[in-house]
Amino acid sequence: MMPRLGEKYAIEIEVTSKPKADYLTDDYFELDLPVAPAVMVGDEIVVEGDDVSDHEVEVCICRQLGLPEPEPFKKGVFNRLLKRNNQ
């Protein structure tokens, strides 16, 4: 998801990945960052502690860039058969 959105919009993507135990330390909580796993766009926390759809992240990116929000992903019969969940 991230490489595709990075190519589509003029944005910088930073991915931080650590062992789960590192996110449960006092030092991490002092940073006032969201509970992992999380997605942030700018200063906005899109989701924390859960999964998020591609569409929801793209909407937040567009909001940050002042662009019109993309249309929601339409789930049709074909997509349901292939079990696509790109919302």
Side-chain angles (χ1 to χ4, degrees):
M1 163 178 47
M2 295 302 179
R4 180 183 60 80
L5 292 175
E7 291 173 7
K8 188 172 181 179
Y9 301 101
I11 56 173
E12 181 181 322
I13 296 175
E14 181 179 332
V15 176
T16 304
S17 180
K18 300 178 182 184
K20 188 174 180 175
D22 288 359
Y23 294 107
L24 302 175
T25 65
D26 290 338
D27 291 337
Y28 181 79
F29 287 111
E30 287 177 14
L31 296 174
D32 199 29
L33 293 171
V35 176
V39 174
M40 290 180 72
V41 176
D43 291 334
E44 179 181 353
I45 298 171
V46 180
V47 68
E48 62 181 311
D50 204 358
D51 289 333
V52 65
S53 71
D54 293 4
H55 178 72
E56 193 172 346
V57 173
E58 190 168 0
V59 166
C60 290
I61 289 171
C62 289
R63 225 178 300 153
Q64 285 282 324
L65 296 175
L67 300 172
E69 294 182 5
E71 294 294 320
F73 182 76
K74 303 226 189 262
K75 284 190 175 183
V77 174
F78 185 71
N79 287 324
R80 283 188 295 223
L81 287 173
L82 295 176
K83 298 185 192 277
R84 290 186 181 165
N85 191 19
N86 295 338
Q87 297 180 355

Coordinates of all heavy atoms in Angstrom, one line a residue:
M1 N 0.8 -1.2 0.0 CA 0.0 0.0 0.0 C 0.9 1.3 0.0 O 0.6 2.2 -0.8 CB -0.9 0.0 1.2 CG -1.5 1.3 1.5 SD -2.7 1.5 2.9 CE -1.9 0.7 4.2
M2 N 1.9 1.3 0.9 CA 2.6 2.6 1.0 C 3.4 2.9 -0.3 O 3.4 4.1 -0.7 CB 3.6 2.5 2.2 CG 2.9 2.4 3.5 SD 1.8 3.8 3.8 CE 1.1 3.4 5.3
P3 N 4.1 2.0 -0.9 CA 4.8 2.3 -2.2 C 3.9 2.9 -3.2 O 4.2 3.8 -3.9 CB 5.5 1.0 -2.6 CG 5.6 0.3 -1.4 CD 4.4 0.6 -0.5
R4 N 2.7 2.3 -3.4 CA 1.7 2.7 -4.4 C 1.3 4.2 -4.1 O 1.2 5.0 -5.0 CB 0.5 1.8 -4.4 CG -0.5 2.2 -5.4 CD -1.7 1.3 -5.3 NE -2.4 1.3 -4.0 CZ -3.2 2.2 -3.6 NH1 -3.5 3.3 -4.4 NH2 -3.8 2.2 -2.4
L5 N 1.0 4.5 -2.8 CA 0.6 5.8 -2.5 C 1.7 6.8 -2.6 O 1.5 8.0 -2.9 CB 0.0 5.8 -1.0 CG -1.3 5.1 -0.9 CD1 -1.8 5.1 0.6 CD2 -2.4 5.7 -1.8
G6 N 2.9 6.4 -2.3 CA 4.1 7.2 -2.4 C 4.4 7.6 -3.9 O 4.9 8.7 -4.2
E7 N 4.0 6.7 -4.8 CA 4.2 7.0 -6.2 C 3.0 7.9 -6.7 O 3.2 8.7 -7.6 CB 4.2 5.7 -7.0 CG 5.4 4.9 -6.8 CD 5.4 3.5 -7.5 OE1 4.4 3.2 -8.2 OE2 6.3 2.7 -7.2
K8 N 1.9 7.7 -6.2 CA 0.7 8.5 -6.6 C 0.7 9.9 -6.1 O 0.2 10.8 -6.8 CB -0.6 7.8 -6.1 CG -1.9 8.3 -6.6 CD -3.0 7.4 -6.2 CE -4.3 7.9 -6.8 NZ -5.5 7.1 -6.4
Y9 N 1.2 10.2 -4.9 CA 1.2 11.5 -4.3 C 2.7 11.9 -4.0 O 3.5 11.1 -3.7 CB 0.4 11.5 -3.1 CG -1.1 11.1 -3.3 CD1 -1.5 9.9 -3.0 CD2 -2.0 12.0 -3.8 CE1 -2.8 9.5 -3.2 CE2 -3.3 11.7 -4.0 CZ -3.7 10.4 -3.7 OH -5.0 10.0 -3.9
A10 N 2.9 13.2 -4.0 CA 4.2 13.7 -3.7 C 4.4 13.8 -2.2 O 4.3 14.8 -1.6 CB 4.4 15.1 -4.4
I11 N 4.7 12.6 -1.6 CA 4.8 12.5 -0.2 C 6.0 11.7 0.2 O 6.5 10.9 -0.6 CB 3.5 11.9 0.5 CG1 3.3 10.5 -0.1 CG2 2.3 12.8 0.3 CD1 2.2 9.7 0.5
E12 N 6.5 11.9 1.4 CA 7.6 11.1 2.0 C 6.9 10.1 2.9 O 6.1 10.5 3.8 CB 8.5 12.0 2.7 CG 9.7 11.3 3.3 CD 10.6 12.3 4.0 OE1 10.8 13.4 3.6 OE2 11.1 11.9 5.1
I13 N 7.3 8.9 2.8 CA 6.8 7.8 3.7 C 7.9 7.3 4.6 O 9.0 7.0 4.1 CB 6.2 6.7 2.9 CG1 5.0 7.2 2.1 CG2 5.8 5.5 3.8 CD1 4.4 6.2 1.1
E14 N 7.6 7.3 5.9 CA 8.6 6.8 6.8 C 7.9 5.6 7.6 O 6.9 5.8 8.1 CB 8.9 7.9 7.8 CG 10.0 7.5 8.9 CD 10.3 8.6 9.8 OE1 10.2 9.8 9.4 OE2 10.6 8.3 11.0
V15 N 8.6 4.5 7.5 CA 8.1 3.3 8.2 C 9.0 3.0 9.4 O 10.2 2.9 9.2 CB 8.0 2.1 7.2 CG1 7.6 0.9 7.9 CG2 7.1 2.4 6.0
T16 N 8.4 2.9 10.5 CA 9.2 2.5 11.7 C 8.7 1.2 12.2 O 7.5 1.0 12.4 CB 9.0 3.6 12.8 OG1 9.3 4.8 12.3 CG2 9.8 3.2 14.0
S17 N 9.6 0.2 12.3 CA 9.3 -1.1 12.7 C 10.3 -1.6 13.8 O 11.5 -1.5 13.6 CB 9.3 -2.1 11.5 OG 9.0 -3.4 12.0
K18 N 9.7 -2.0 14.9 CA 10.5 -2.4 16.1 C 9.9 -3.7 16.6 O 8.7 -3.9 16.4 CB 10.6 -1.4 17.1 CG 11.2 -0.1 16.7 CD 11.2 0.9 17.9 CE 11.8 2.2 17.4 NZ 11.8 3.2 18.5
P19 N 10.6 -4.4 17.5 CA 9.9 -5.5 18.2 C 8.8 -5.0 19.1 O 8.9 -3.9 19.6 CB 11.0 -6.2 19.0 CG 12.3 -5.7 18.4 CD 12.0 -4.4 17.7
K20 N 7.7 -5.8 19.2 CA 6.6 -5.3 20.0 C 7.0 -4.9 21.4 O 6.4 -3.9 21.9 CB 5.6 -6.4 20.1 CG 4.3 -6.0 20.7 CD 3.2 -7.1 20.6 CE 1.9 -6.6 21.2 NZ 0.8 -7.5 21.1
A21 N 7.9 -5.5 22.0 CA 8.3 -5.2 23.4 C 8.9 -3.7 23.4 O 8.7 -3.0 24.4 CB 9.4 -6.1 23.8
D22 N 9.5 -3.2 22.4 CA 10.0 -1.9 22.3 C 8.9 -0.8 22.4 O 9.1 0.3 22.9 CB 10.8 -1.6 21.1 CG 12.1 -2.3 21.1 OD1 12.4 -3.0 22.1 OD2 12.9 -2.2 20.1
Y23 N 7.7 -1.2 22.0 CA 6.5 -0.3 22.0 C 5.8 -0.2 23.4 O 4.9 0.5 23.6 CB 5.5 -0.6 20.9 CG 6.0 -0.4 19.5 CD1 6.4 -1.5 18.7 CD2 6.2 0.9 19.0 CE1 6.8 -1.3 17.4 CE2 6.7 1.1 17.7 CZ 7.0 0.0 16.9 OH 7.5 0.2 15.7
L24 N 6.2 -1.1 24.2 CA 5.6 -1.2 25.6 C 6.5 -0.6 26.7 O 6.2 -0.9 27.8 CB 5.3 -2.7 25.8 CG 4.4 -3.4 24.8 CD1 4.2 -4.8 25.1 CD2 3.0 -2.7 24.8
T25 N 7.5 0.1 26.3 CA 8.4 0.6 27.3 C 7.9 2.0 27.8 O 7.2 2.7 27.1 CB 9.8 0.7 26.8 OG1 9.8 1.7 25.7 CG2 10.4 -0.6 26.3
D26 N 8.4 2.5 28.9 CA 8.1 3.8 29.4 C 8.7 4.9 28.5 O 8.1 5.9 28.2 CB 8.7 4.0 30.8 CG 8.0 3.2 31.9 OD1 6.8 2.9 31.6 OD2 8.5 3.0 32.9
D27 N 9.9 4.6 27.9 CA 10.5 5.6 27.0 C 9.6 5.8 25.8 O 9.5 6.9 25.3 CB 11.8 5.1 26.5 CG 12.9 5.1 27.6 OD1 12.7 5.9 28.6 OD2 13.9 4.3 27.5
Y28 N 8.9 4.7 25.3 CA 8.1 4.9 24.1 C 6.8 5.7 24.5 O 6.4 6.6 23.7 CB 7.6 3.5 23.5 CG 6.7 3.7 22.3 CD1 7.3 3.9 21.1 CD2 5.4 3.6 22.4 CE1 6.5 4.1 20.0 CE2 4.5 3.7 21.3 CZ 5.1 4.0 20.1 OH 4.3 4.2 19.0
F29 N 6.2 5.4 25.6 CA 5.0 6.2 26.1 C 5.3 7.7 26.3 O 4.5 8.5 26.1 CB 4.4 5.6 27.3 CG 3.7 4.3 27.0 CD1 4.2 3.1 27.5 CD2 2.6 4.2 26.3 CE1 3.6 1.9 27.2 CE2 1.9 3.0 26.0 CZ 2.4 1.9 26.4
E30 N 6.6 8.0 26.7 CA 7.0 9.4 26.9 C 7.0 10.2 25.6 O 6.9 11.4 25.5 CB 8.3 9.5 27.6 CG 8.3 9.1 29.0 CD 9.6 9.1 29.7 OE1 10.6 9.6 29.1 OE2 9.8 8.6 30.8
L31 N 7.2 9.4 24.4 CA 7.2 10.1 23.1 C 5.8 10.6 22.7 O 5.7 11.3 21.7 CB 7.7 9.1 22.1 CG 9.2 8.7 22.3 CD1 9.6 7.6 21.2 CD2 10.1 9.9 22.1
D32 N 4.8 10.1 23.4 CA 3.4 10.5 23.1 C 3.0 10.1 21.7 O 2.3 10.9 21.0 CB 3.2 12.0 23.3 CG 1.7 12.3 23.5 OD1 0.9 11.4 24.0 OD2 1.3 13.4 23.1
L33 N 3.5 9.0 21.2 CA 3.1 8.4 19.9 C 2.0 7.4 20.1 O 1.7 6.9 21.2 CB 4.3 7.8 19.3 CG 5.4 8.7 18.9 CD1 6.7 7.9 18.4 CD2 5.0 9.7 17.8
P34 N 1.2 7.1 19.0 CA 0.1 6.2 19.1 C 0.6 4.7 19.4 O 1.7 4.4 19.2 CB -0.5 6.2 17.7 CG 0.5 6.7 16.8 CD 1.4 7.6 17.7
V35 N -0.3 3.9 19.9 CA -0.1 2.5 20.3 C 0.1 1.8 18.9 O -0.6 1.9 18.0 CB -1.2 1.9 21.1 CG1 -1.0 0.5 21.3 CG2 -1.4 2.7 22.4
A36 N 1.2 1.0 18.9 CA 1.5 0.2 17.7 C 0.6 -1.0 17.6 O 0.2 -1.5 18.6 CB 2.9 -0.2 17.7
P37 N 0.2 -1.4 16.4 CA 0.5 -0.9 15.1 C -0.3 0.4 14.9 O -1.4 0.5 15.4 CB 0.1 -1.9 14.1 CG -0.9 -2.7 14.8 CD -0.6 -2.7 16.3
A38 N 0.2 1.3 14.2 CA -0.5 2.6 14.0 C -0.1 3.2 12.6 O 1.0 2.9 12.1 CB -0.1 3.6 15.1
V39 N -0.9 4.1 12.1 CA -0.7 4.8 10.9 C -0.9 6.3 11.2 O -2.0 6.6 11.7 CB -1.6 4.4 9.7 CG1 -1.3 5.3 8.5 CG2 -1.3 2.9 9.4
M40 N 0.1 7.1 10.9 CA -0.1 8.6 11.1 C 0.2 9.2 9.7 O 1.0 8.8 9.0 CB 1.0 9.1 12.1 CG 0.7 8.7 13.5 SD 2.0 9.4 14.7 CE 1.5 11.1 14.7
V41 N -0.6 10.2 9.5 CA -0.4 11.1 8.3 C -0.2 12.5 8.8 O -1.2 13.1 9.3 CB -1.6 11.0 7.3 CG1 -1.4 11.9 6.1 CG2 -1.8 9.6 6.8
G42 N 1.0 13.0 8.7 CA 1.3 14.3 9.3 C 1.2 14.1 10.8 O 1.7 13.2 11.4
D43 N 0.4 14.9 11.5 CA 0.2 14.8 12.9 C -1.1 14.1 13.2 O -1.4 13.9 14.4 CB 0.1 16.2 13.6 CG 1.5 16.9 13.5 OD1 2.5 16.2 13.5 OD2 1.5 18.2 13.5
E44 N -1.8 13.7 12.2 CA -3.1 13.0 12.4 C -2.9 11.5 12.6 O -2.3 10.8 11.7 CB -4.0 13.2 11.2 CG -5.4 12.6 11.3 CD -6.2 12.8 10.1 OE1 -5.9 13.6 9.2 OE2 -7.3 12.1 10.0
I45 N -3.5 10.9 13.6 CA -3.4 9.5 13.9 C -4.6 8.9 13.1 O -5.8 9.2 13.4 CB -3.5 9.1 15.4 CG1 -2.3 9.7 16.1 CG2 -3.6 7.6 15.5 CD1 -2.4 9.6 17.6
V46 N -4.3 8.1 12.1 CA -5.4 7.5 11.3 C -6.0 6.3 12.0 O -7.2 6.2 12.1 CB -4.8 7.1 9.9 CG1 -5.9 6.5 9.0 CG2 -4.2 8.3 9.2
V47 N -5.1 5.5 12.5 CA -5.5 4.3 13.3 C -4.4 3.9 14.2 O -3.2 4.1 13.9 CB -5.9 3.2 12.4 CG1 -4.7 2.6 11.6 CG2 -6.6 2.1 13.1
E48 N -4.8 3.4 15.4 CA -3.8 2.8 16.3 C -4.3 1.5 16.9 O -5.5 1.4 17.2 CB -3.3 3.8 17.4 CG -4.4 4.2 18.3 CD -3.9 5.2 19.3 OE1 -2.8 4.9 19.9 OE2 -4.5 6.2 19.6
G49 N -3.4 0.5 16.9 CA -3.8 -0.8 17.5 C -4.7 -1.6 16.6 O -5.3 -2.5 17.1
D50 N -4.8 -1.3 15.3 CA -5.8 -2.0 14.5 C -5.3 -1.8 13.0 O -4.4 -1.0 12.7 CB -7.2 -1.4 14.6 CG -8.3 -2.4 14.3 OD1 -7.9 -3.5 13.8 OD2 -9.4 -2.1 14.4
D51 N -6.0 -2.5 12.1 CA -5.8 -2.4 10.7 C -6.5 -1.2 10.1 O -7.5 -0.8 10.7 CB -6.2 -3.7 9.9 CG -5.3 -4.9 10.2 OD1 -4.1 -4.6 10.6 OD2 -5.8 -6.0 10.1
V52 N -6.1 -0.8 9.0 CA -6.8 0.4 8.3 C -6.9 0.1 6.8 O -6.0 -0.6 6.3 CB -6.0 1.7 8.6 CG1 -4.7 1.7 8.0 CG2 -6.8 2.9 8.1
S53 N -7.9 0.5 6.2 CA -8.0 0.3 4.7 C -7.2 1.2 3.9 O -6.8 2.3 4.4 CB -9.5 0.5 4.3 OG -9.9 1.8 4.4
D54 N -6.8 0.8 2.7 CA -6.0 1.7 1.8 C -6.8 3.0 1.6 O -6.2 4.1 1.6 CB -5.8 1.0 0.5 CG -5.0 -0.2 0.5 OD1 -4.5 -0.6 1.7 OD2 -4.7 -0.8 -0.5
H55 N -8.1 2.9 1.4 CA -8.9 4.1 1.1 C -8.8 5.1 2.2 O -8.7 6.3 2.0 CB -10.3 3.7 0.8 CG -11.2 4.9 0.6 ND1 -11.2 5.6 -0.6 CD2 -12.2 5.5 1.3 CE1 -12.0 6.6 -0.6 NE2 -12.7 6.5 0.6
E56 N -8.9 4.6 3.5 CA -8.9 5.5 4.6 C -7.6 6.3 4.7 O -7.5 7.5 5.0 CB -9.2 4.8 5.9 CG -9.5 5.6 7.1 CD -9.9 4.9 8.3 OE1 -10.2 3.7 8.2 OE2 -9.9 5.5 9.4
V57 N -6.5 5.6 4.4 CA -5.2 6.2 4.5 C -5.1 7.3 3.3 O -4.6 8.4 3.5 CB -4.0 5.2 4.3 CG1 -2.7 5.9 4.2 CG2 -4.0 4.3 5.6
E58 N -5.6 6.9 2.1 CA -5.5 7.8 1.0 C -6.4 9.0 1.2 O -6.0 10.1 0.9 CB -6.0 7.1 -0.3 CG -5.8 7.8 -1.5 CD -6.0 7.0 -2.8 OE1 -6.3 5.8 -2.7 OE2 -5.8 7.6 -3.9
V59 N -7.5 8.9 1.9 CA -8.3 10.1 2.2 C -7.6 11.0 3.1 O -7.6 12.2 2.9 CB -9.7 9.6 2.9 CG1 -10.4 10.8 3.6 CG2 -10.6 8.9 1.9
C60 N -6.9 10.5 4.1 CA -6.1 11.3 5.0 C -4.9 12.0 4.3 O -4.6 13.2 4.6 CB -5.6 10.5 6.2 SG -6.9 10.0 7.3
I61 N -4.3 11.3 3.4 CA -3.2 11.9 2.6 C -3.8 13.1 1.8 O -3.2 14.2 1.8 CB -2.5 10.9 1.7 CG1 -1.7 9.9 2.6 CG2 -1.6 11.5 0.7 CD1 -1.2 8.7 1.8
C62 N -4.9 12.9 1.1 CA -5.5 13.9 0.3 C -5.9 15.1 1.2 O -5.7 16.3 0.8 CB -6.7 13.4 -0.4 SG -6.3 12.2 -1.8
R63 N -6.4 14.9 2.4 CA -6.8 16.0 3.3 C -5.5 16.8 3.6 O -5.6 18.0 3.6 CB -7.4 15.4 4.5 CG -8.6 16.1 5.0 CD -9.3 15.5 6.2 NE -9.6 14.1 5.9 CZ -9.8 13.1 6.8 NH1 -9.6 13.4 8.0 NH2 -10.1 11.9 6.4
Q64 N -4.4 16.1 3.9 CA -3.2 16.8 4.3 C -2.6 17.6 3.1 O -2.1 18.7 3.3 CB -2.1 15.8 4.7 CG -2.3 15.2 6.1 CD -1.9 16.1 7.2 OE1 -0.9 16.9 7.0 NE2 -2.6 16.1 8.3
L65 N -2.8 17.1 1.9 CA -2.3 17.8 0.7 C -3.2 18.8 0.1 O -2.9 19.5 -0.8 CB -1.9 16.8 -0.4 CG -0.8 15.8 0.0 CD1 -0.6 14.8 -1.1 CD2 0.5 16.5 0.3
G66 N -4.5 18.9 0.7 CA -5.5 19.8 0.2 C -6.1 19.4 -1.1 O -6.5 20.2 -1.9
L67 N -6.1 18.1 -1.4 CA -6.6 17.5 -2.6 C -8.0 17.0 -2.4 O -8.3 16.7 -1.2 CB -5.7 16.4 -3.1 CG -4.3 16.8 -3.4 CD1 -3.5 15.5 -3.7 CD2 -4.2 17.7 -4.6
P68 N -8.8 16.8 -3.4 CA -10.1 16.2 -3.2 C -10.0 14.8 -2.8 O -9.1 14.1 -3.2 CB -10.8 16.3 -4.6 CG -9.8 16.8 -5.5 CD -8.6 17.3 -4.8
E69 N -10.9 14.3 -1.9 CA -10.8 13.0 -1.5 C -11.2 12.0 -2.6 O -12.1 12.3 -3.4 CB -11.7 12.8 -0.3 CG -11.3 13.5 0.9 CD -12.2 13.3 2.2 OE1 -13.1 12.5 2.1 OE2 -12.0 14.0 3.2
P70 N -10.5 10.8 -2.6 CA -10.8 9.8 -3.7 C -12.2 9.2 -3.4 O -12.7 9.2 -2.3 CB -9.7 8.8 -3.5 CG -9.3 8.9 -2.1 CD -9.5 10.4 -1.7
E71 N -12.8 8.7 -4.5 CA -14.1 8.0 -4.4 C -13.9 6.7 -3.6 O -12.9 6.1 -3.7 CB -14.7 7.7 -5.7 CG -15.0 9.0 -6.5 CD -16.2 9.7 -5.9 OE1 -17.1 9.1 -5.5 OE2 -16.1 11.0 -5.9
P72 N -14.9 6.3 -2.8 CA -14.8 5.0 -2.1 C -14.7 3.9 -3.1 O -15.2 3.9 -4.2 CB -16.1 5.0 -1.3 CG -16.8 6.2 -1.5 CD -16.1 7.0 -2.5
F73 N -14.0 2.9 -2.7 CA -13.8 1.6 -3.5 C -15.2 0.9 -3.5 O -15.8 0.7 -2.5 CB -12.8 0.7 -2.8 CG -12.5 -0.5 -3.6 CD1 -11.8 -0.5 -4.7 CD2 -13.0 -1.7 -3.1 CE1 -11.5 -1.7 -5.4 CE2 -12.8 -2.9 -3.8 CZ -12.0 -2.9 -5.0
K74 N -15.6 0.6 -4.7 CA -16.9 -0.1 -4.8 C -16.7 -1.6 -4.8 O -15.9 -2.1 -5.6 CB -17.6 0.4 -6.1 CG -17.8 1.9 -6.2 CD -19.1 2.2 -6.7 CE -19.2 3.6 -7.0 NZ -19.6 4.6 -6.5
K75 N -17.5 -2.2 -3.9 CA -17.4 -3.7 -3.8 C -18.5 -4.3 -4.7 O -19.6 -4.2 -4.4 CB -17.6 -4.2 -2.4 CG -16.4 -4.0 -1.5 CD -16.6 -4.7 -0.2 CE -15.4 -4.6 0.6 NZ -15.5 -5.3 1.9
G76 N -18.0 -4.9 -5.8 CA -19.0 -5.5 -6.7 C -18.9 -7.0 -6.6 O -18.1 -7.6 -5.7
V77 N -19.7 -7.7 -7.3 CA -19.7 -9.2 -7.3 C -18.3 -9.8 -7.6 O -17.8 -10.7 -6.9 CB -20.7 -9.8 -8.3 CG1 -20.7 -11.3 -8.3 CG2 -22.1 -9.3 -7.9
F78 N -17.6 -9.2 -8.6 CA -16.3 -9.7 -9.0 C -15.3 -9.6 -7.9 O -14.6 -10.5 -7.6 CB -15.9 -9.0 -10.3 CG -14.6 -9.5 -10.8 CD1 -14.5 -10.8 -11.4 CD2 -13.4 -8.8 -10.7 CE1 -13.3 -11.2 -12.0 CE2 -12.2 -9.2 -11.2 CZ -12.2 -10.5 -11.8
N79 N -15.3 -8.4 -7.3 CA -14.4 -8.2 -6.2 C -14.7 -9.0 -4.9 O -13.8 -9.5 -4.3 CB -14.4 -6.7 -5.8 CG -13.7 -5.9 -6.8 OD1 -12.7 -6.3 -7.4 ND2 -14.2 -4.7 -7.0
R80 N -16.0 -9.3 -4.7 CA -16.3 -10.2 -3.6 C -15.9 -11.6 -3.8 O -15.4 -12.3 -2.9 CB -17.8 -10.1 -3.3 CG -18.2 -8.8 -2.5 CD -19.6 -8.9 -2.1 NE -20.5 -8.9 -3.3 CZ -21.6 -8.3 -3.5 NH1 -22.0 -7.5 -2.5 NH2 -22.2 -8.3 -4.6
L81 N -16.0 -12.0 -5.1 CA -15.5 -13.4 -5.5 C -14.0 -13.5 -5.3 O -13.6 -14.6 -4.8 CB -15.9 -13.7 -6.9 CG -17.3 -13.9 -7.2 CD1 -17.6 -14.1 -8.7 CD2 -17.8 -15.2 -6.5
L82 N -13.3 -12.5 -5.6 CA -11.8 -12.5 -5.4 C -11.4 -12.1 -4.0 O -10.2 -12.1 -3.6 CB -11.2 -11.6 -6.4 CG -11.3 -12.0 -7.8 CD1 -10.7 -10.9 -8.7 CD2 -10.7 -13.3 -8.1
K83 N -12.4 -11.8 -3.1 CA -12.2 -11.4 -1.7 C -11.2 -10.2 -1.6 O -10.4 -10.1 -0.7 CB -11.7 -12.6 -0.9 CG -12.7 -13.7 -0.8 CD -12.2 -14.8 0.1 CE -13.0 -16.0 0.0 NZ -14.1 -16.2 0.6
R84 N -11.4 -9.2 -2.5 CA -10.6 -8.0 -2.4 C -11.2 -7.1 -1.3 O -12.4 -6.9 -1.3 CB -10.6 -7.3 -3.8 CG -9.9 -8.0 -4.8 CD -9.8 -7.1 -6.1 NE -9.1 -7.8 -7.1 CZ -9.1 -7.5 -8.3 NH1 -9.8 -6.4 -8.7 NH2 -8.4 -8.2 -9.2
N85 N -10.3 -6.6 -0.5 CA -10.8 -5.7 0.6 C -9.9 -4.5 0.6 O -9.3 -4.1 1.5 CB -10.6 -6.5 1.9 CG -11.3 -5.7 3.0 OD1 -12.1 -4.9 2.8 ND2 -10.9 -6.0 4.3
N86 N -9.9 -3.8 -0.6 CA -9.1 -2.5 -0.7 C -9.9 -1.3 -0.3 O -9.4 -0.2 -0.5 CB -8.6 -2.4 -2.1 CG -7.7 -3.5 -2.5 OD1 -7.1 -4.1 -1.7 ND2 -7.6 -3.7 -3.8
Q87 N -11.1 -1.4 0.2 CA -11.9 -0.3 0.5 C -11.3 1.0 0.3 O -10.8 1.8 1.0 CB -12.4 -0.4 1.9 CG -13.3 -1.6 2.1 CD -13.7 -1.7 3.6 OE1 -13.4 -1.0 4.4 NE2 -14.6 -2.7 3.8

